[in-house]
Amino acid sequence: MTILFVSSGFVGAEENQNLNNNVTYKNICGYCHDTGIGPEITGRKLPVEYTTYIVRHGFRAMPAFPETHVDKDALITVAKFIEAAPPLAERQAATSKE
């Protein structure tokens, strides 16, 4: 399985960057962590270092994702999103208002 990450190219466009991070999160992490398969990881302020370690090494039922599956830049970007993102219920409420 190969995952391709495409940058928006809009440096400094915070709203656009948050949207892209959310899409990356939703496509990779949210598949398990927003559906009850894995624990909810947003809204917990998990440090970037913790998230990147767990992603690379795995933890309990979560498999490791090597750099061939998630590149370093994409991993750091999504880890920053996870650290700052509100809990799932708040993200869903914000999405339903749009």
Side-chain angles (χ1 to χ4, degrees), residues 9-95:
F10 294 98
V11 178
E14 186 174 327
E15 184 174 332
N16 191 42
Q17 185 68 25
N18 287 336
L19 175 62
N20 288 336
N21 291 344
N22 193 353
V23 169
T24 301
Y25 172 87
K26 184 176 180 181
N27 289 338
I28 299 172
C29 312
Y31 185 79
C32 292
H33 292 283
D34 286 353
T35 60
I37 295 170
E40 185 172 346
I41 55 177
T42 56
R44 297 175 56 191
K45 300 186 184 335
L46 297 172
V48 170
E49 297 80 8
Y50 175 82
T51 301
T52 57
Y53 182 86
I54 296 300
V55 169
R56 287 291 184 238
H57 297 91
F59 185 70
R60 297 185 181 176
M62 182 177 152
F65 289 84
E67 195 159 351
T68 56
H69 288 80
V70 179
D71 68 47
K72 181 180 178 182
D73 291 338
L75 175 55
I76 291 171
T77 300
V78 80
K80 287 178 180 178
F81 172 79
I82 291 167
E83 182 178 46
L88 176 61
E90 287 181 33
R91 289 186 288 119
Q92 289 174 330
T95 301

